[in-house]
Amino acid sequence: MNRPLVQNVRLFIDGALLSYIALFRWLRPAAYLASKVIMPLNQILFFTLLGMYATGRDNASFYVIGNALQLTAVSGIYGVTMSVGGDRWDGTLPYLFGTPANRAALFLGRAFFHILDGMLGVVLGFFWGVVLLGLDLSHTSLPTLGLIVLVTTLSSSGLGLLMGCLSLITRNIMFINNTVYFLLLIFSGANIPLDSLPLWMQSFAQGLPLTRGIAAARAVIAGQTVHDVVPLLGGELLIAVVYTSLGYALFRWFEHQAKMRGTLEAI
Amino acid sequence: MNLDRLRANIRVVGYAFVMTLKQNVIDGFIIFTILIQPLIIALLALWMMDDQAASHAIFIVVGSGLTGLWSSLLFISGNSINVERWIGTLEFMVAMPTSITTIIFGKNLAHVSQSLISMLLSYFLASIIFDLPLTIARPGLFLLSLLLTIVAFVSFGLIIAPIFVMNPGVQGWQNAMEFPVYILSGFLFPIALLPGWTTPVSYVLAPYWAAKALHGASSGESSPDSILIDLGILIMFSTVYILISRRLFKAMLHKTRVDATLGLQ
């Protein structure tokens, strides 16, 4: 086993754990319960009830599935962005850029716990859906649904990594986060069937995380198999890779620019 | 209260109002809360309604505007005292001869008034972009309802601001308090969709009566008498909120002036 690989794995795990503990120290049990358990439940209830009012009670599961999957964006966008941007706000960015540590391990580690957390959020969302809104999972292959949740969480975390880099150059990242999160409620198909949107919006939606994941989850819950949703899952995974790569490239570019121009504190 | 004092207080409310508006126009979070979020909710609702959108257009405009009002009250008015603590001006404010309640009233008035923009934007969205017919069936009663809604929301803001500043633990629940009021107050769908046991909870929420009066006046589905009853209840709630807020502000001032612990929380 070569030494750099072991070092990078250790860096990835330690970095993931420490950044989560350090940057989310504010996340006390009550705050976690409010933001990651109660708020998601309320959001699922609101949009499902709105959907039931608009299209009838029979369509409740359409909204439950869409909004449960959308919860990956809570961890993926807010959590990951705060993990990447937190170093700037807490003044530790210069130290981070000063270390010889492997940047990819550092960067990707920031998303690791939020991926686990995001998956837990979706499981909880489905739990609320089954218990409170009559979501029927009797025809569902649960391992396939689990795989969809994992891939969708990866793709929304990829978007989070990209947006986390933006938090290194703007003070208004929460404005951007909030706007993107709410726009995903429209574009991802969580609440509106994509074919009822204007054509340009349908095309735009295909380039976003969640869109294929939500479609795949709906298909699997309706009884389709993993083979039926492979193209959707493949597409979602590709989106995850593209957004993560873009985020990483941007992260390296910002580091380079900051060092070249001496703008580390000013960006 | 003599006339000079009243005039002075009105001037303070006016300054607090203008100052707050100026600060808010450059705040990204506030812009999102009062403009972007209600607009996205209106868009979602219009698309979700699909072919029923035309008949529900005014309902959606009013309902999405109310979501902006509530979110603004919860996140912005709720922090109207906390903001002073964060920037270190709370101690100066409580030491001034002007009552802090008067200043916070002016700030909350600005927050709630500016969030009416969300209703206006939703109106233009539905009317111009979606080309939907929008008429307010009882304009006089609608305006009166809007005015009393502002008063009720500002009064409610006078309760939550001192609660949040004295109990950071409660403030931690802010995120969890946004959607329940959208749901229980019937902003975008009737509360008849909810289980029966939630109805009494809706009845003790001023936003429910505000939504009922505004929806009733805009759609014309409620009789004038029914709307006036809703408004009477709204006035009652506003009065109760103001009475409660007096006690809360007293407790907060005690913490600040006597215990000197408020800024340390």
Side-chain angles (χ1 to χ4, degrees):
Chain A
M1 196 75 173
N2 60 28
R3 197 171 153 76
L5 180 68
V6 176
Q7 269 185 344
N8 287 339
V9 170
R10 187 183 59 76
L11 182 69
F12 176 85
I13 295 170
D14 285 354
L17 185 64
L18 286 173
S19 74
Y20 191 81
I21 294 171
L23 298 170
F24 286 80
R25 62 193 178 279
W26 55 271
L27 205 55
R28 297 184 175 91
Y32 186 89
L33 199 66
S35 305
K36 302 297 293 291
V37 180
I38 308 295
M39 191 281 277
L41 164 67
N42 293 333
Q43 189 183 310
I44 290 176
L45 280 176
F46 175 72
F47 286 109
T48 303
L49 287 164
L50 181 58
M52 283 161 65
Y53 178 57
T55 63
R57 285 181 182 271
D58 296 341
N59 297 320
S61 60
F62 177 88
Y63 301 99
V64 174
I65 299 165
N67 285 287
L69 257 293
Q70 166 87 19
L71 294 180
T72 61
V74 175
S75 296
I77 293 181
Y78 294 104
V80 176
T81 301
M82 287 170 81
S83 276
V84 176
D87 279 304
R88 178 195 172 192
W89 305 325
D90 287 350
T92 48
L93 195 60
Y95 304 108
L96 193 75
F97 282 169
T99 64
N102 181 294
R103 295 293 185 262
L106 258 180
F107 183 70
L108 297 175
R110 299 296 157 129
F112 183 68
F113 277 97
H114 297 289
I115 291 170
L116 299 181
D117 204 21
M119 289 175 68
L120 183 69
V122 181
V123 171
L124 209 59
F126 280 127
F127 171 78
W128 293 127
V130 170
V131 173
L132 299 175
L133 295 158
L135 178 66
D136 180 9
L137 295 180
S138 60
H139 303 105
T140 310
S141 158
L142 292 179
T144 309
L145 185 61
L147 184 66
I148 293 168
V149 171
L150 171 66
V151 173
T152 312
T153 312
L154 286 174
S155 70
S156 64
S157 295
L159 177 63
L161 285 169
L162 178 61
M163 289 169 62
C165 290
L166 296 182
S167 75
L168 300 176
I169 53 160
T170 174
R171 290 180 198 284
N172 277 324
I173 192 62
M174 283 313 279
F175 173 78
I176 300 172
N177 279 351
N178 284 330
T179 305
V180 170
Y181 182 82
F182 266 80
L183 284 175
L184 279 175
L185 285 168
I186 297 178
F187 284 97
S188 68
N191 293 295
I192 308 164
L194 284 180
D195 54 13
S196 67
L197 292 175
L199 216 56
W200 70 268
M201 289 178 76
Q202 292 183 38
S203 309
F204 185 66
Q206 295 308 319
L208 294 174
L210 287 166
T211 309
R212 291 173 181 81
I214 290 172
R218 285 190 181 126
V220 165
I221 288 172
Q224 293 192 28
T225 64
V226 67
H227 300 293
D228 300 321
V229 295
V230 162
L232 289 170
L233 270 178
E236 191 74 27
L237 198 60
L238 183 67
I239 297 262
V241 172
V242 168
Y243 277 92
T244 306
S245 306
L246 275 176
Y248 182 63
L250 211 58
F251 183 73
R252 294 308 307 263
W253 187 71
F254 284 152
E255 181 186 356
H256 180 72
Q257 289 296 310
K259 283 178 175 171
M260 290 287 288
R261 297 183 180 185
T263 53
L264 207 56
E265 297 296 332
I267 57 174
Chain B
M1 188 187 279
N2 64 42
L3 206 63
D4 286 343
R5 182 91 181 268
L6 180 68
R7 204 174 293 143
N9 279 343
I10 290 172
R11 198 177 66 238
V12 170
V13 168
Y15 276 118
F17 181 88
V18 173
M19 182 92 173
T20 305
L21 283 185
K22 284 181 179 172
Q23 284 175 333
N24 288 353
V25 291
I26 53 161
D27 189 317
F29 179 75
I30 293 176
I31 292 169
F32 173 80
T33 307
I34 64 170
L35 299 182
I36 313 286
Q37 183 175 326
L39 210 57
I40 292 177
I41 288 178
L43 266 173
L44 269 168
L46 285 167
W47 263 311
M48 285 162 88
M49 293 284 177
D50 203 15
D51 49 356
Q52 298 176 66
S55 56
H56 286 78
I58 194 70
F59 185 80
I60 293 169
V61 165
V62 171
S64 57
L66 281 165
T67 65
L69 269 175
W70 170 247
S71 296
S72 159
L73 178 80
L74 181 65
F75 292 111
I76 306 168
S77 298
N79 283 333
S80 54
I81 303 178
N82 256 330
V83 166
E84 306 295 340
R85 187 157 65 85
W86 294 331
I87 59 175
T89 49
L90 182 59
E91 283 77 6
F92 301 113
M93 277 173 65
V94 296
M96 277 192 283
T98 307
S99 156
I100 188 174
T101 318
T102 311
I103 300 169
I104 300 302
F105 182 85
K107 289 182 74 172
N108 285 356
L109 188 63
H111 295 317
V112 175
S113 307
Q114 75 186 1
S115 55
L116 288 177
I117 295 171
S118 55
M119 208 177 283
L120 214 60
L121 269 180
S122 301
Y123 185 93
F124 286 119
L125 174 85
S127 163
I128 296 170
I129 300 184
F130 282 81
D131 198 22
L132 295 170
L134 288 170
T135 46
I136 293 171
R138 304 185 198 284
L141 279 170
F142 183 80
L143 279 178
L144 183 64
S145 304
L146 210 53
L147 188 72
L148 290 174
T149 297
I150 293 173
V151 174
F153 274 58
V154 171
S155 311
F156 198 23
L158 290 177
I159 290 184
I160 60 172
I163 287 178
F164 283 172
V165 81
M166 287 190 289
N167 305 282
V170 176
Q171 200 197 3
W173 290 89
Q174 235 173 347
N175 279 340
M177 291 155 71
E178 188 179 24
F179 282 103
V181 173
Y182 291 3
I183 297 168
L184 290 165
S185 299
F187 286 170
L188 282 155
F189 45 81
I191 62 163
L193 270 181
L194 305 174
W197 61 265
T198 63
T199 308
V201 184
S202 297
Y203 287 170
V204 297
L205 294 171
Y208 166 75
W209 298 102
K212 191 165 178 286
L214 285 166
H215 282 316
S218 58
S219 66
E221 285 172 6
S222 300
S223 67
D225 286 348
S226 164
I227 295 167
L228 288 174
I229 291 171
D230 297 337
L231 294 180
I233 296 171
L234 207 53
I235 293 170
M236 185 194 75
F237 271 114
S238 305
T239 312
V240 171
Y241 292 157
I242 287 172
L243 290 175
I244 295 172
S245 75
R246 283 171 69 97
R247 285 194 158 276
L248 288 169
F249 270 88
K250 210 172 159 186
M252 189 193 75
L253 288 176
H254 187 274
K255 260 177 116 62
T256 316
R257 288 173 175 164
V258 181
D259 295 347
T261 55
L262 195 65
L264 300 174
Q265 280 175 355

